[in-house]
Amino acid sequence: PGVLDDGGSAEVVQLLELVRSEDEEVREDALADLADLATRTFGEDGRLLGRTVRGHDGVELLVQALLAPSISIRQTALHLIGNLCSDSLDPNSTKTKWALLNCGGGSALINCITSFDSAEADDDS
C-alpha cells in the first residue's frame, strides 16, 4: 500500500488547513508533516499529493509561507515546494510549477533566496 492509501489525501487536506493557522507553531508542524510526507511519496501517491495540494490552494499557502518571518517556516516551505515541483515526486509537477508562478511564487522565491543570503552575510561578519 502507498503512503496516501486509506484516506491519505484527507490527511493532506487537514494538514493544509493547519497551515492556515494563525499559530506559528501549528503552521510549522503542519508544514513539517507535509514535507515529511512528500519525502516518502512517489509514483501514483506523488501524483495524488500534487493534485491534492494544487486543488486545495496549497501552492498559494506555500507561497505565503515563503513570506513568513520565521526562517524555519520558510525553509520547510522551500523544501516542500522543491519536492512538489519535482517530476520524481509528481509526474504532473509542471502543473505545480505553473501554479507557483501564477500566484507570485517567483518573487517570493527570489525574496527568500536574498533573505537567506543576507542572513548568511550577517553570520560571516
Side-chain angles (χ1 to χ4, degrees):
V3 174
L4 294 184
D5 287 350
D6 300 324
S9 61
E11 177 188 354
V12 172
V13 172
Q14 187 175 38
L15 288 170
L16 288 170
E17 284 303 316
L18 292 172
V19 172
R20 297 177 198 280
S21 173
E22 294 295 319
D23 185 318
E24 188 174 291
E25 189 174 325
V26 170
R27 282 196 344 253
E28 188 171 351
D29 288 346
L31 283 167
D33 288 347
L34 283 166
D36 179 60
L37 184 62
T39 300
R40 298 181 290 117
T41 303
F42 57 92
E44 191 54 39
D45 280 345
R47 185 185 322 265
L48 179 59
L49 176 62
R51 183 174 56 230
T52 303
V53 169
R54 290 188 302 273
H56 289 86
D57 300 323
V59 176
E60 292 84 354
L61 290 171
L62 292 174
V63 170
Q64 291 172 10
L66 292 177
L67 304 173
S70 165
I71 290 175
S72 178
I73 286 177
R74 292 193 319 252
Q75 286 175 330
T76 305
L78 282 169
H79 175 91
L80 184 52
I81 288 168
N83 278 330
L84 290 169
C85 289
S86 169
D87 289 344
S88 63
L89 172 83
D90 176 8
N92 291 324
S93 68
T94 299
K95 292 178 181 180
T96 301
K97 294 169 196 162
W98 278 112
L100 185 64
L101 292 175
N102 287 331
C103 69
S107 301
L109 286 168
I110 290 169
N111 287 339
C112 245
I113 292 167
T114 57
S115 72
F116 288 139
D117 285 347
S118 296
E120 285 180 11
D122 291 343
D123 289 346
D124 290 342
S125 304

